[in-house]
Amino acid sequence: MSVEINNESGIEVEVGRVQRLAAFVLESLYVHPDTEVGVMFVDETSIERLHVQWMDEPGPTDVLSFPMDELRPGRVDAQTPAGLLGDIVICPQVAEVQAEAAGHDLQQEISVLLTHGMLHVLGYDHGTPEEEAEMFGLQRDLLLSFAMRERSR
């Protein structure tokens, strides 16, 4: 897995953890090991600009996802083809506020946002109650499995 990380936010991010989580999500969803994904951390001004440009919504947001090759999760017997998964843009400043409200630390919130963004670039959505239940259930399961793996490291 190629996970390209660029931090332009001015806030320290645990890059190693981000890389491990991204690889874990791709591996768990049977995405080809030669697949590439980009993760960018930006400030509130930059994410607000992207939010307006691509979603036509005002104000900063926490995470935006930009799928490229429209890859979908594979199966244990059939991985996805290799390709460019896309880009995930996260705003640590917004994540910090959300982390405080949720009662956990910034790095944990970044993990939630990264997993959420990766599921979006893999075709998951939460536009209907059924889609929301599927996506958020999978997101929870991935984060719990990753946390267990991290504890055993």
Side-chain angles (χ1 to χ4, degrees), residues 3-152:
V3 181
E4 178 88 20
I5 298 174
N6 188 5
N7 186 356
E8 299 176 359
S9 71
I11 292 182
E12 187 175 330
V13 173
E14 291 181 30
V15 173
R17 180 183 171 93
V18 169
Q19 287 178 318
R20 290 190 308 276
L21 176 56
F24 177 81
V25 169
L26 296 176
E27 179 184 302
S28 297
L29 296 177
Y30 308 105
V31 176
H32 195 283
D34 291 336
T35 299
E36 298 176 35
V37 63
V39 181
M40 180 177 270
F41 295 94
V42 299
D43 62 22
E44 289 173 295
T45 302
S46 298
I47 203 145
E48 181 174 16
R49 196 173 318 120
L50 291 169
H51 199 210
V52 169
Q53 180 180 353
W54 294 101
M55 305 300 290
D56 201 24
E57 294 183 24
T61 190
D62 51 4
V63 62
L64 291 169
S65 301
F66 299 95
M68 299 288 188
D69 288 346
E70 296 187 19
L71 299 176
R72 297 298 178 254
R75 298 184 318 269
V76 73
D77 61 332
Q79 285 185 334
T80 64
L84 182 57
L85 187 57
D87 293 316
I88 298 146
V89 182
I90 297 172
C91 180
Q93 287 88 343
V94 174
E96 211 162 35
V97 172
Q98 292 175 177
E100 189 174 311
H104 54 244
D105 68 23
L106 174 61
Q107 300 309 317
Q108 195 172 355
E109 185 69 17
I110 286 173
S111 293
V112 169
L113 296 174
L114 176 64
T115 304
H116 189 84
M118 291 190 70
L119 290 175
H120 272 306
V121 294
L122 282 164
Y124 288 91
D125 203 357
H126 44 84
T128 68
E130 296 80 16
E131 290 173 336
E132 182 176 340
E134 178 185 21
M135 183 175 178
F136 282 89
L138 180 55
Q139 178 178 301
R140 181 193 64 245
D141 292 347
L142 289 165
L143 287 165
L144 288 172
S145 295
F146 178 72
M148 289 186 343
R149 178 186 271 190
E150 286 288 291
R151 274 193 291 266
S152 66

